[in-house]
Amino acid sequence: MIEELVGLLVIFVLAMFVGFEVITKVPPTLHTPLMSGSNAISGITIIGALVMAGRGQSRAASILGLVAVVFAMINVVGGFLVTDRMLRMFRRDKKEQR
Amino acid sequence: MIEELVGLLVIFVLAMFVGFEVITKVPPTLHTPLMSGSNAISGITIIGALVMAGRGQSRAASILGLVAVVFAMINVVGGFLVTDRMLRMFRRDKKEQR
Amino acid sequence: MAGLAKLAYLLAAVLFILGLKRLSSPATARSGNWLASFGMLIAIVTTLAFGGILTWPMIIIGIVVGSAIGATFARMVEMTAMPQMVALLNGFGGGASALVASAELLRSLQAGAIIPLNVAVTIPLSVLIGSVTFSGSVIAFGKLQELVTGRAVTYPLQKSFNGFLFAGILAVGIWVVLQPSSTLALGILVAAALVLGILSVIPIGGADMPVVISLLNSYSGIAAATTGFVISNEGLIISGALVGASGLILTNIMCKAMNRSLANVLFGAFGAHATAALGPVGIEGRGVRSITAEDGAMMLAYARLVVFCPGYGLAVAQAQHEVRELADILEGRGVEVKYAIHPVAGRMPGHMNVLLAEADVPYDKLYDMDEINPEFSRTDVSVVIGANDVVNPSARTPGSELSGMPILDVDKSDNVIVLKRSMRPGFAGIDNPLFFDPKTSMLFGDAKSSVKNLIEEVKAL
Amino acid sequence: MAGLAKLAYLLAAVLFILGLKRLSSPATARSGNWLASFGMLIAIVTTLAFGGILTWPMIIIGIVVGSAIGATFARMVEMTAMPQMVALLNGFGGGASALVASAELLRSLQAGAIIPLNVAVTIPLSVLIGSVTFSGSVIAFGKLQELVTGRAVTYPLQKSFNGFLFAGILAVGIWVVLQPSSTLALGILVAAALVLGILSVIPIGGADMPVVISLLNSYSGIAAATTGFVISNEGLIISGALVGASGLILTNIMCKAMNRSLANVLFGAFGAHATAALGPVGIEGRGVRSITAEDGAMMLAYARLVVFCPGYGLAVAQAQHEVRELADILEGRGVEVKYAIHPVAGRMPGHMNVLLAEADVPYDKLYDMDEINPEFSRTDVSVVIGANDVVNPSARTPGSELSGMPILDVDKSDNVIVLKRSMRPGFAGIDNPLFFDPKTSMLFGDAKSSVKNLIEEVKAL
Ligand SMILES: NC(=O)c1ccc[n+]([C@@H]2O[C@H](COP(=O)([O-])OP(=O)(O)OC[C@H]3O[C@@H](n4cnc5c(N)ncnc54)[C@H](OP(=O)(O)O)[C@@H]3O)[C@@H](O)[C@H]2O)c1
Ligand SMILES: NC(=O)c1ccc[n+]([C@@H]2O[C@H](COP(=O)([O-])OP(=O)(O)OC[C@H]3O[C@@H](n4cnc5c(N)ncnc54)[C@H](OP(=O)(O)O)[C@@H]3O)[C@@H](O)[C@H]2O)c1
């Protein structure tokens, strides 16, 4: 049990490193889209929510799961779409484009 | 079993990402020490070698393990020391140092 | 099967990482966002296929309703309201994490399973972080949307009370760990965590909300990762850690650019006395030169290099399209135009970039503070559009609230035109000596109408 | 216990990562190397404490002997022999991986355990990669140390034979997977892999060895990671992946800087006809200006900016200390001196940097190709010290072996002095039009003695 936990911890630590390295490379120009985009990624709880809503083992758990699905989907869909809306606006100077 | 293997694969993939991100930041000046230093890190097989040499369950395994310990220790000790020897030589211009 | 599902989650996580990597340049950023959302799709489909889903109606309702609400939000939101939007979405994410962890506890109890210690520890943790993120984000949203007062609300013994509350939460958390079967304990934990979220954000001034949101964003990542520990899912852990790291880095960048510590932002009640600082303090006896749009147009039209320095006022006035038009007209006359972007101009990191991008300003005309500062000495006219703190030279002298914060060196340019409505200070609540500089001309009025007037006058020349 | 050990291995891996991160600047690199070696110490101590070690004599002997040999190597090796040294160490690492995997198989058989499929697959993989790395590295060492011919050895049907061998190895590998109890199969696998390592490196020219070493370094990382899969150890997997990534990146950088594909390096038999290309081909009828050290000293002493461009010849002549002395003397006379470092000058990445660092040249005087190239137009004298291919202007025109490789633009400077022993070509085996440029003066002789003469003459002025 403890061993499994440590295994997951290893993954967490490595992912933190990847996160730090990758995020520090994002230029200030893109910090707002980064915020909304990474926010959308945190909606990954959706996978937990789906399991809770769908296994139907307990009425209470299903209802909580349903609300969780709604919340997480708002986060995911809203986050990715709004990020795309922002990023669509960024463009290089046309004159300098080849 | 397959699940455990995939868990290890997750770690491998993440570590690869960390490796790529971290190594691409090493400037060309330090590529030779990087080669010898990362080489020393690959001597991490020493931990497998120690177990093989020390558990003493099988004579043949122990002997192979012993050779592996010698090889890995050459790699580790030689690698780190020679890297240190190189890095000791790198210095900034004294005049520009405060 | 389980192995295949794990592989699919790994693929999703890899897509998230690759997506974030593509955010390192505006040219590839959009495709990166699509990669990440594709990763999310894979994760969802994998869960639907291998997650042991039995009752579909709930799921379908949830997905449809959630997606519809999310899509509507994304479509309706004004670009100037982005900070609120992020806060709100963030709150939903945190809330979902707390709900999942609670549901898992209820489910295990129902199934009569014995809850192993590691799960018993991670569940209350996940519930706590998720609930604080939820209520904190909602308050941050309220402050930015001006539904709740933007002032830093302070009251006596505030910190002691919050400390007490936090201690109480720890106690309840341990109660849940020791006796996971008590739904009462879980309920108290959720309630207390929600109150903690509200009470920790209420005393923070509206203008500090972006830091708070970024920190809460980091929390929501950590909440997702904790949930991953609860249900042993590597995908959740990796994605949560990515978001956690991202939030921490952004928080750190904002604090550094404001030259304040995170503790000062969270507990300093910055902006509690904002109203007190308003008004023409220290103006008496010093001259301020006020000009008309006609004078301003004259200066701009015959300049060689003009640098626009936008700030929060640009967002308030929504003047980005007019600014762009003015720049086009000036460029048509042969004037070189650049934009100077301070790292904390506006109210969230990259705020100005998004606004100007909306107005179709090419991103290679936007210059970071470090790039543009050496240019001011050869600048004929700097136009400060609704910025204040980020061009306040008193940041260079010790003893001021802004001391040590790096600023745009507009006072090095030959002339400065400042567009704002009054002599009132900006977010930091302190006076700006720039306005009294002999080089400076004030063009009072709402930025949008001022810029419009400038356009008219330049055209008339 | 096992949990604690895992935590310790995680700590070791984190130290490796932090150590590599510190290699991003020469100022922090040394501490980074110490961090990494500290991580290794933690990994070793953890294994000794929790690894179920029973018989200590073997272990102690192994550690003492290995450390002594490693330390001696590290102390004795000449800086100019670094490429060989890395090759040799690399071979030992790969060998160790293969031995560990073989031992694990023998141990499991002895213990009568049933070998699960995943282990049965990863063992032969680890043995294969490790053995190829071992024998390949030894041959690379031999070529660089000139114990084996440095020429690309080719013979008829070479590729077909190697392909055949590889297919055979795959077959034996499957045999081991299906019948892990057969030590005969294991033995054949090891032998065949060793032969494959030798035969794949033999046909590669001596000067391409750095690419091979870097690739083998990557293999040794992958071998370690595979061993980690065999014994389910996260520490091995992470470290192996780090090394694997590092080797791949360096290989890629070298190939790019030479403008050749990896396939061309591995299978192109570059340098097979090196002797044929030697000799004064194409020199007839064209003028080469040969000067004395006195003439050269004159040019250098009265220049404003001198750029030194070292190459492989610097390493051969071991002239780094003399070059540094010459630079000091020139600087004493008010001449500005810079060093131009081409990414593949010498025989391994960063080769010149290490040599010049040994001679105490401060690293902020060394300029990358991209930094220095714009400077050549204002350079009075470029001094090419034992470099050839990296300053060959025919790389700019299509149709040459070097076409497309970026070069140092020494021919843009006012004067060029080339220090080499003869008109013979460099590694790529092609003539260099630079030597026939009217701006160029050749100072023939061993670089060390030529530079010594220059020092004398400048002093005498
Ligand atoms: N960007 C971030 O991430 C972030 C995060 C947290 C905190 N902050 C803080 O926010 C501040 C940002 O500095 P800043 O210079 O951008 O803004 P600022 O210092 O808050 O000043 C904005 C100015 O705009 C003027 N203004 C408001 N509405 C206007 C309108 N409609 N037309 C014309 N002018 C208008 C205001 O003056 P009038 O009222 O006289 O018009 C005000 O002085 C910094 O102190 C920073 O530390 C930023
Ligand atoms: N750095 C790497 O990572 C790497 C890896 C693989 C391949 N390579 C290849 O190696 C080559 C490196 O280019 P390079 O310009 O540095 O070297 P080069 O092209 O090999 O030329 C070296 C020159 O140094 C001269 N030389 C040798 N010994 C000398 C001595 N004792 N005194 C004076 N001169 C001496 C030789 O001419 P004489 O015989 O006339 O004296 C020779 O022309 C490139 O082609 C590159 O692609 C580099």
Side-chain angles (χ1 to χ4, degrees):
Chain A
M1 188 193 75
I2 293 290
E3 256 187 274
E4 197 204 325
L5 213 58
V6 174
L8 296 177
L9 187 67
V10 171
I11 293 176
F12 180 74
V13 170
L14 285 177
M16 271 286 193
F17 269 110
V18 175
F20 271 101
E21 295 299 330
V22 170
I23 305 289
T24 42
K25 280 195 195 141
V26 178
T29 312
L30 292 172
H31 277 169
T32 297
L34 169 64
M35 243 166 124
S36 59
S38 66
N39 197 351
I41 293 179
S42 78
I44 184 74
T45 8
I46 182 70
I47 66 185
L50 289 172
V51 171
M52 293 306 142
R55 283 221 181 124
Q57 281 157 304
S58 133
R59 181 125 204 97
S62 299
I63 292 176
L64 289 188
L66 172 65
V67 182
V69 170
V70 174
F71 275 23
M73 280 315 282
I74 295 178
N75 189 356
V76 168
V77 174
F80 281 125
L81 285 185
V82 90
T83 307
D84 187 60
R85 227 185 102 192
M86 274 188 265
L87 290 175
R88 212 162 45 204
M89 299 177 326
F90 281 86
R91 60 168 198 85
R92 193 181 272 125
D93 201 347
K94 279 187 197 105
K95 283 167 275 174
E96 292 177 29
Q97 262 172 348
R98 274 158 304 165
Chain B
M1 189 192 74
I2 294 290
E3 255 187 275
E4 197 204 324
L5 213 59
V6 174
L8 296 178
L9 186 67
V10 171
I11 292 176
F12 180 73
V13 170
L14 284 176
M16 271 289 197
F17 269 110
V18 175
F20 271 102
E21 295 299 331
V22 170
I23 305 289
T24 42
K25 281 196 194 139
V26 177
T29 311
L30 292 172
H31 276 168
T32 296
L34 169 64
M35 243 165 123
S36 59
S38 66
N39 197 351
I41 292 179
S42 78
I44 184 74
T45 7
I46 181 69
I47 67 186
L50 289 174
V51 171
M52 292 308 142
R55 283 220 180 123
Q57 281 158 304
S58 131
R59 179 123 205 100
S62 298
I63 291 175
L64 290 188
L66 173 65
V67 182
V69 170
V70 175
F71 276 23
M73 280 315 282
I74 295 178
N75 189 356
V76 168
V77 174
F80 282 125
L81 285 185
V82 90
T83 307
D84 187 59
R85 225 184 104 193
M86 275 188 264
L87 291 175
R88 214 163 42 204
M89 300 178 324
F90 280 87
R91 60 168 199 86
R92 194 181 269 124
D93 200 348
K94 280 189 195 105
K95 283 167 274 174
E96 293 178 29
Q97 262 174 348
R98 277 158 303 165
Chain C
M1 272 309 140
L4 201 62
K6 270 201 181 192
L7 265 186
Y9 287 135
L10 175 60
L11 178 62
V14 167
L15 287 174
F16 293 155
I17 295 173
L18 293 177
L20 287 174
K21 272 171 80 82
R22 305 201 121 230
L23 271 184
S24 62
S25 146
T28 55
R30 205 176 163 204
S31 65
N33 189 50
W34 279 110
L35 265 192
S37 40
F38 186 60
M40 190 62 81
L41 185 67
I42 291 182
I44 293 176
V45 170
T46 305
T47 311
L48 294 180
F50 300 108
I53 308 285
L54 300 171
T55 49
W56 291 89
M58 284 285 205
I59 299 253
I60 293 172
I61 294 175
I63 291 184
V64 170
V65 171
S67 305
I69 300 180
T72 316
F73 277 179
R75 201 156 304 223
M76 309 296 267
V77 64
E78 297 280 341
M79 277 301 144
T80 43
M82 228 16 109
Q84 295 87 298
M85 175 75 180
V86 173
L88 199 63
L89 291 176
N90 197 36
F92 284 121
S97 282
L99 287 167
V100 171
S102 312
E104 166 73 15
L105 185 65
L106 296 183
R107 192 189 63 77
S108 309
L109 290 178
Q110 190 93 356
I114 300 152
I115 295 165
L117 186 65
N118 58 345
V119 174
V121 171
T122 42
I123 283 185
L125 211 63
S126 185
V127 169
L128 169 62
I129 303 177
S131 305
V132 169
T133 307
F134 177 70
S135 62
S137 298
V138 169
I139 295 295
F141 167 78
K143 288 208 170 204
L144 289 167
Q145 193 70 1
E146 287 166 21
L147 303 173
V148 180
T149 172
R151 273 197 304 117
V153 177
T154 54
Y155 46 84
L157 292 179
Q158 190 168 34
K159 277 172 212 167
S160 321
F161 182 75
N162 285 356
F164 181 74
L165 183 62
F166 189 68
I169 285 179
L170 282 187
V172 180
I174 292 171
W175 177 12
V176 177
V177 172
L178 297 179
Q179 203 179 338
S181 58
S182 160
T183 47
L184 174 65
L186 184 71
I188 295 182
L189 182 67
V190 170
L194 290 175
V195 173
L196 180 67
I198 298 174
L199 291 188
S200 0
V201 175
I202 276 280
I204 303 175
D208 272 337
M209 278 310 118
V211 184
V212 174
I213 293 172
S214 172
L215 194 66
L216 289 174
N217 192 9
S218 170
Y219 286 176
S220 77
I222 306 281
T226 318
T227 311
F229 279 97
V230 173
I231 61 173
S232 281
N233 183 307
E234 283 92 353
L236 270 177
I237 294 179
I238 299 176
S239 326
L242 290 175
V243 178
S246 150
L248 284 182
I249 290 173
L250 287 177
T251 307
N252 195 26
I253 288 176
M254 278 190 269
C255 287
K256 263 203 191 138
M258 296 195 295
N259 196 38
R260 286 165 62 200
S261 71
L262 183 57
N264 180 280
V265 171
L266 296 183
F267 307 119
F270 209 74
H273 316 294
T275 35
L278 291 183
V281 186
I283 297 191
E284 310 91 45
R286 290 200 272 168
V288 166
R289 183 153 56 121
S290 166
I291 59 165
T292 64
E294 198 186 339
D295 305 332
M298 208 78 123
M299 289 162 72
L300 292 176
Y302 299 107
R304 260 162 312 143
L305 174 59
V306 169
V307 178
F308 286 160
C309 308
Y312 178 58
L314 180 81
V316 177
Q318 304 220 24
Q320 62 271 30
H321 293 281
E322 285 70 22
V323 167
R324 197 252 144 109
E325 201 184 332
L326 178 59
D328 283 350
I329 292 173
L330 290 176
E331 284 180 333
R333 295 181 63 104
V335 182
E336 190 185 354
V337 178
K338 295 184 172 183
Y339 296 81
I341 309 295
H342 188 281
V344 292
R347 287 293 180 269
M348 68 189 292
H351 199 172
M352 297 296 114
N353 305 73
V354 170
L355 289 181
L356 293 171
E358 192 201 359
D360 243 9
V361 176
Y363 59 77
D364 39 11
K365 285 205 178 154
L366 311 188
Y367 294 84
D368 285 349
M369 178 169 65
D370 296 333
E371 287 170 341
I372 197 79
N373 268 345
E375 303 261 321
F376 280 115
S377 56
R378 62 175 204 89
T379 301
D380 301 297
V381 190
S382 293
V383 186
V384 177
I385 307 168
N388 192 337
D389 298 341
V390 300
V391 295
N392 192 333
S394 59
R396 293 198 202 108
T397 50
S400 143
E401 293 235 35
L402 291 175
S403 297
M405 171 169 131
I407 60 163
L408 295 173
D409 296 334
V410 288
D411 54 343
K412 302 246 161 87
S413 54
D414 292 345
N415 295 284
V416 183
I417 303 181
V418 177
L419 274 57
K420 66 198 296 283
R421 297 166 305 183
S422 65
M423 287 305 291
R424 261 173 299 167
F427 159 57
I430 64 165
D431 275 332
N432 192 338
L434 177 75
F435 304 157
F436 307 100
D437 193 304
K439 284 176 190 172
T440 304
S441 318
M442 306 294 296
L443 180 52
F444 288 111
D446 175 73
K448 189 169 193 152
S449 60
S450 292
V451 176
K452 269 192 184 146
N453 294 341
L454 284 172
I455 293 174
E456 294 304 307
E457 296 294 344
V458 172
K459 275 190 185 156
L461 278 177
Chain D
M1 273 312 139
L4 202 61
K6 271 200 179 193
L7 265 185
Y9 287 134
L10 174 60
L11 178 62
V14 167
L15 287 174
F16 292 156
I17 295 174
L18 294 177
L20 288 174
K21 269 171 82 83
R22 305 200 121 231
L23 271 184
S24 62
S25 148
T28 55
R30 206 176 162 205
S31 65
N33 189 51
W34 279 110
L35 266 190
S37 40
F38 186 59
M40 191 61 80
L41 185 67
I42 291 181
I44 293 176
V45 170
T46 307
T47 311
L48 293 180
F50 299 109
I53 308 284
L54 299 172
T55 49
W56 291 89
M58 284 284 204
I59 299 252
I60 293 173
I61 293 175
I63 292 184
V64 169
V65 171
S67 305
I69 299 180
T72 315
F73 277 0
R75 202 156 303 223
M76 308 298 267
V77 64
E78 296 281 339
M79 275 302 143
T80 43
M82 230 12 113
Q84 296 86 298
M85 174 75 181
V86 173
L88 199 62
L89 291 177
N90 197 36
F92 284 121
S97 282
L99 286 167
V100 171
S102 312
E104 166 72 16
L105 185 65
L106 295 184
R107 192 187 64 76
S108 308
L109 290 178
Q110 188 94 355
I114 302 151
I115 295 165
L117 186 65
N118 57 345
V119 176
V121 170
T122 42
I123 282 184
L125 212 61
S126 186
V127 169
L128 169 61
I129 303 177
S131 306
V132 169
T133 307
F134 176 70
S135 62
S137 298
V138 169
I139 295 296
F141 167 77
K143 288 209 169 205
L144 288 168
Q145 193 72 0
E146 288 165 20
L147 302 175
V148 181
T149 172
R151 271 197 305 117
V153 177
T154 54
Y155 46 85
L157 292 179
Q158 189 167 38
K159 277 173 210 168
S160 323
F161 182 75
N162 285 354
F164 180 74
L165 184 62
F166 189 69
I169 284 180
L170 282 187
V172 179
I174 292 171
W175 177 12
V176 175
V177 172
L178 296 179
Q179 203 179 335
S181 58
S182 161
T183 44
L184 174 66
L186 184 71
I188 296 182
L189 182 67
V190 170
L194 289 175
V195 173
L196 180 67
I198 296 173
L199 291 188
S200 357
V201 175
I202 275 280
I204 304 175
D208 271 338
M209 278 308 119
V211 184
V212 174
I213 293 174
S214 173
L215 194 66
L216 289 175
N217 191 10
S218 171
Y219 286 176
S220 77
I222 307 282
T226 318
T227 312
F229 280 96
V230 173
I231 61 172
S232 280
N233 183 307
E234 284 93 351
L236 269 176
I237 295 179
I238 299 176
S239 326
L242 290 175
V243 178
S246 151
L248 284 181
I249 290 174
L250 287 178
T251 307
N252 194 27
I253 288 176
M254 278 190 270
C255 287
K256 265 203 189 135
M258 295 195 296
N259 197 38
R260 285 166 62 201
S261 71
L262 184 57
N264 180 280
V265 171
L266 295 183
F267 308 119
F270 209 73
H273 316 294
T275 34
L278 291 181
V281 185
I283 296 191
E284 310 88 46
R286 288 200 273 168
V288 166
R289 183 153 55 120
S290 167
I291 58 166
T292 63
E294 198 184 339
D295 305 331
M298 208 76 124
M299 290 164 72
L300 292 175
Y302 299 107
R304 260 163 313 146
L305 174 59
V306 169
V307 177
F308 286 161
C309 309
Y312 178 56
L314 180 81
V316 176
Q318 305 221 26
Q320 61 270 32
H321 293 280
E322 285 70 22
V323 168
R324 197 253 143 107
E325 200 184 333
L326 178 59
D328 284 349
I329 292 172
L330 290 175
E331 284 180 334
R333 294 182 62 105
V335 181
E336 192 183 352
V337 178
K338 294 183 172 183
Y339 296 81
I341 309 295
H342 188 280
V344 290
R347 286 294 180 268
M348 67 189 292
H351 199 173
M352 296 297 115
N353 305 74
V354 170
L355 289 183
L356 293 171
E358 192 201 358
D360 242 12
V361 176
Y363 59 77
D364 39 11
K365 286 205 180 152
L366 310 188
Y367 293 84
D368 284 349
M369 178 171 64
D370 296 334
E371 287 170 342
I372 199 80
N373 267 346
E375 303 262 322
F376 279 114
S377 56
R378 63 176 203 89
T379 301
D380 301 296
V381 189
S382 293
V383 186
V384 175
I385 308 167
N388 193 338
D389 297 342
V390 300
V391 294
N392 191 333
S394 60
R396 295 198 201 108
T397 50
S400 144
E401 292 236 36
L402 291 174
S403 296
M405 171 169 130
I407 59 162
L408 294 173
D409 296 334
V410 287
D411 55 342
K412 304 245 160 87
S413 53
D414 292 345
N415 295 285
V416 182
I417 303 181
V418 176
L419 274 55
K420 67 197 296 284
R421 297 165 305 184
S422 66
M423 287 304 291
R424 262 172 298 166
F427 159 56
I430 63 165
D431 275 331
N432 192 338
L434 177 74
F435 305 155
F436 307 100
D437 192 304
K439 285 177 191 170
T440 303
S441 319
M442 306 294 294
L443 180 51
F444 286 111
D446 175 72
K448 190 169 191 153
S449 59
S450 292
V451 177
K452 269 193 186 149
N453 294 342
L454 284 173
I455 294 175
E456 294 304 307
E457 296 294 344
V458 172
K459 275 191 185 157
L461 278 177

